[in-house]
Amino acid sequence: MAPTDASTGPTLAISALSTRRDRAVRAAVGQGLVGPAAPVAGLLDVAGVRASAAALRAAFAAVTAPGTEVLHAFAVKATPLVPVLRLLYEAGIGAEVASPGELALARAAGVPPTRTVLDSPAKTGAELREALAVGIAVNADNPQELARIDALVSSAPTSSPIGVRVNPQIGAGSIGALSTATATSKFGVALRDEGARDWVVRACLDRPWLTRLHTHTGSQGVPLELMAQGVRAAYELAEEINEAAGRRQIDTLDIGGGLPVNFASDDHTPDYATYAKLLAATVPGLFDGRYGLVTEFGRSLLAKHGTILALVEYAKESGGRPIAVTHAGVQVATRTVYAPASWPLRIAAYDAQGRRKTGPAVAQDVAGPACFSGDLLAENHALPLLEAGDYAAALDTGAYYFAQHYSYNSLTRPGVYGFGTADDANGGVRFATVRAPQTVEEIVAESGGDRRGALLDL
């Protein structure tokens, strides 16, 4: 949800987002964070991130009974950068992790175990042992994993809240690869499979320490109504288990995340308030105070607040179509390059001084540097004509873009910089380095540079 002013509403908030971004781009060019020596960089709007975190917390607080325990845990996979996790933690957001690496990042950011949730369909015994030893919440994905947890719990006491992930099997959204509640999804216990629901009930009754249910219906491309149906399925199962147990054994519902992002404009739609209200209407008992809540939003917290800024190295024409050749392509926008229909990006044009370009819109390609024809940020995209020395900005890239590098052609990882802007009209822009640009020396080192003769004697 975009931050708003009570007297002016969302329109001002949207223009403020754009204004902060434009100022940051000009400052980044002026300060040399991006340019011939560093031809691509990621910019992160710190004020925007804080506003999204506040909007999430406020949206659920508005529909939740006072005193309800609520943990909003950021899906670390969306932006696995330690300073970002710390920023979110200071804004009241914990961490949802799905690997030893993500857990290490959350710990480095200072997120405590009590604000951390471990999810993954392939947790190792060592991962489970570590999480249970320090009190991290764990959601078991399947019966075999639950058997591992049985052994660990019986051998050592734990303060970890433990749950089981269920798949309500309610269908897919428009992007199949991101739909996690299909009939054959790899995630969780498939509730509509023969005997599965009864197994979950019995598993809980046999384990008094199994106190949570977890579900996550999907992400981008999944309609809110389908997400709400998935949450309702988990809630109804919790009610069934508690009735069978004769007590409130299931005391917390982890409803996942997955709020889609609008990649067509600066507007934050759908917003957290809309989703929370829909949940309250679809599953009224969810918010009456009987259940604690965990959410696991990722993309929706960060996407709108990131920009990838890339120097246009050359401008050319092929087949009558202009092509701007930049340094940002598949290495930073992997999903967009390989699945452009599902992951289109907005592109903004800036001149050599970092000012917004004006002029007639011209259909052109914005190409990346990788050695295959499909390495395009945008194809036949209308915007002011980009020329050599200009900058192309890929918008809405704060999640799953500049933080996850695909090392095609051994291209270096770009630097990532958070920015803050002063409120006054003449105020400057301050930057903080989130991740320094990777060097070619680092690429050599991680590619076995100190072992160049390792294969010669085999």
Side-chain angles (χ1 to χ4, degrees):
M1 180 178 181
T4 62
D5 181 277
S7 62
T8 55
T11 300
L12 175 62
I14 294 168
S15 65
L17 184 156
S18 179
T19 298
R20 289 198 306 270
R21 180 173 59 230
D22 287 351
R23 290 175 61 189
V25 167
R26 187 168 184 181
V29 172
Q31 296 180 33
L33 296 182
V34 64
V40 60
L43 307 179
L44 185 68
D45 181 355
V46 171
V49 175
R50 287 184 172 131
S52 284
L56 169 59
R57 297 178 64 195
F60 277 80
V63 297
T64 304
T68 302
E69 288 192 23
V70 180
L71 169 61
H72 297 294
F74 174 67
V76 172
K77 59 183 171 288
T79 311
L81 296 169
V82 171
V84 172
L85 304 183
R86 184 65 188 188
L87 175 66
L88 288 168
Y89 176 63
E90 293 293 334
I93 309 296
E96 184 264 341
V97 301
S99 72
E102 290 184 357
L103 176 55
L105 294 174
R107 283 180 159 177
V111 182
T114 54
R115 306 288 291 174
T116 304
V117 181
L118 174 62
D119 295 321
S120 167
K123 305 180 197 72
T124 66
E127 287 179 74
L128 292 170
R129 188 177 301 108
E130 179 182 10
L132 295 175
V134 298
I136 292 170
V138 175
N139 289 315
D141 179 82
N142 56 71
Q144 293 178 27
E145 183 181 327
L146 188 57
R148 284 186 176 180
I149 295 174
D150 282 339
L152 293 169
V153 168
S154 64
S155 64
T158 179
S159 62
S160 292
I162 302 173
V164 61
R165 179 168 182 168
V166 296
N167 170 15
Q169 295 176 292
I170 55 176
S174 61
I175 305 176
L178 295 187
S179 299
T180 57
T182 60
T184 57
S185 171
K186 72 178 185 180
F187 294 103
V189 178
L191 284 183
R192 296 185 182 182
D193 283 12
E194 185 176 357
R197 188 182 189 94
D198 290 341
W199 179 87
V200 174
V201 174
R202 176 47 55 189
C204 291
L205 297 180
D206 290 343
R207 298 166 176 82
W209 42 263
L210 202 54
T211 59
R212 294 186 169 190
L213 290 180
H214 173 221
T215 191
H216 176 73
T217 297
S219 188
Q220 194 70 18
V222 176
L224 299 190
E225 292 76 14
L226 196 64
M227 293 169 58
Q229 289 177 34
V231 174
R232 182 171 61 191
Y235 168 81
E236 290 172 348
L237 179 57
E239 294 280 275
E240 181 180 341
I241 292 167
N242 288 345
E243 183 177 358
R247 63 186 182 89
R248 192 170 66 98
Q249 177 172 338
I250 302 300
D251 60 22
T252 299
L253 291 173
D254 183 335
I255 64 172
L259 192 72
V261 169
N262 160 34
F263 286 100
S265 74
D266 278 345
D267 196 3
H268 288 238
T269 54
D271 60 22
Y272 294 118
T274 298
Y275 182 46
K277 291 174 183 175
L278 175 63
L279 286 174
T282 306
V283 200
L286 182 66
F287 297 112
D288 65 9
R290 291 178 298 125
Y291 292 98
L293 292 174
V294 178
T295 72
E296 300 173 353
F297 295 101
R299 177 182 292 105
S300 57
L301 279 165
L302 268 293
K304 286 291 175 190
H305 310 303
T307 301
I308 293 173
L309 188 61
L311 176 70
V312 178
E313 194 69 50
Y314 301 108
K316 57 191 291 188
E317 187 173 295
S318 183
R321 182 184 296 173
I323 303 172
V325 181
T326 80
H327 291 272
V330 71
Q331 86 278 26
V332 292
T334 312
R335 285 178 171 175
T336 293
V337 168
Y338 286 132
S342 295
W343 300 102
L345 283 175
R346 292 187 293 148
I347 307 295
Y350 293 85
D351 68 17
Q353 286 72 48
R355 300 170 300 199
R356 277 275 194 159
K357 292 201 76 169
T358 57
V362 177
Q364 57 198 292
D365 291 351
V366 181
C371 292
F372 66 99
S373 296
D375 186 29
L376 302 172
L377 287 182
E379 185 174 7
N380 203 25
H381 190 83
L383 69 163
L385 186 65
L386 287 164
E387 303 170 286
D390 288 343
Y391 293 89
L395 310 184
D396 309 326
T397 48
Y400 296 103
Y401 282 89
F402 54 66
Q404 280 143 339
H405 186 73
Y406 177 37
S407 55
Y408 202 104
N409 284 145
S410 294
L411 294 163
T412 56
R413 288 189 298 271
V416 178
Y417 306 94
F419 67 85
T421 57
D423 291 334
D424 58 287
N426 298 315
V429 178
R430 294 185 300 147
F431 291 99
T433 300
V434 175
R435 184 187 66 202
Q438 187 182 31
T439 66
V440 292
E441 291 78 14
E442 289 170 329
I443 288 180
V444 171
E446 69 180 27
S447 301
D450 61 344
R451 298 179 177 87
R452 63 180 180 181
L455 304 178
L456 301 182
D457 296 329
L458 297 181

